[in-house]
């Protein structure tokens, strides 16, 4: 499961802290994903802000589907 997001420079540091200390741990706590990786996109450069890709790994498609049904709306809201 891959998420790409562009973050405005004005909120970048707060967003990165929130992702690292709250959001990603909450997603992993669903037990639908076994691991994740977060990457800052270097090229092509965004016109504004910083772009990140967060990739969550699940062992089965069923785990991903369970995340979408049981958790996605709450965590993405």
């Amino acid at each position: 499961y891959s998420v790409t997001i562009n973050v405005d420079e004005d909120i970048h540091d707060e967003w990165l802290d929130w992702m690292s200390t709250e959001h990603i741990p909450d997603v992993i706590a669903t037990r639908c994903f076994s691991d994740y990786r977060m990457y800052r996109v270097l090229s092509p450069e965004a016109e504004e802000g910083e772009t990140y890709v967060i990739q969550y790994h699940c062992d089965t498609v069923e785990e991903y589907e369970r995340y979408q049904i049981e958790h996605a709306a709450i965590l993405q809201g």
Side-chain angles (χ1 to χ4, degrees):
Y1 173 53
S2 183
V3 178
T4 303
I5 186 167
N6 183 269
V7 181
D8 188 70
E9 286 294 330
D10 293 343
I11 64 165
H12 175 265
D13 292 344
E14 294 86 17
W15 176 85
L16 191 57
D17 182 61
W18 173 76
M19 284 296 286
S20 300
T21 63
E22 292 183 44
H23 185 69
I24 291 173
D26 287 347
V27 172
I28 296 300
T30 67
R31 303 179 79 173
C32 297
F33 302 101
S34 57
D35 198 9
Y36 77 94
R37 296 284 187 265
M38 185 157 101
Y39 305 96
R40 184 170 58 97
V41 177
L42 300 176
S43 179
E45 290 185 36
E47 290 186 26
E48 294 184 17
E50 298 283 344
T51 301
Y52 287 85
V53 175
I54 301 95
Q55 296 178 339
Y56 298 95
H57 178 265
C58 50
D59 295 323
T60 67
V61 172
E62 291 78 18
E63 289 174 335
Y64 168 74
E65 291 170 347
R66 184 170 64 83
Y67 173 77
Q68 290 297 320
I69 292 167
E70 298 177 12
H71 304 285
I74 295 166
L75 291 168
Q76 294 172 0

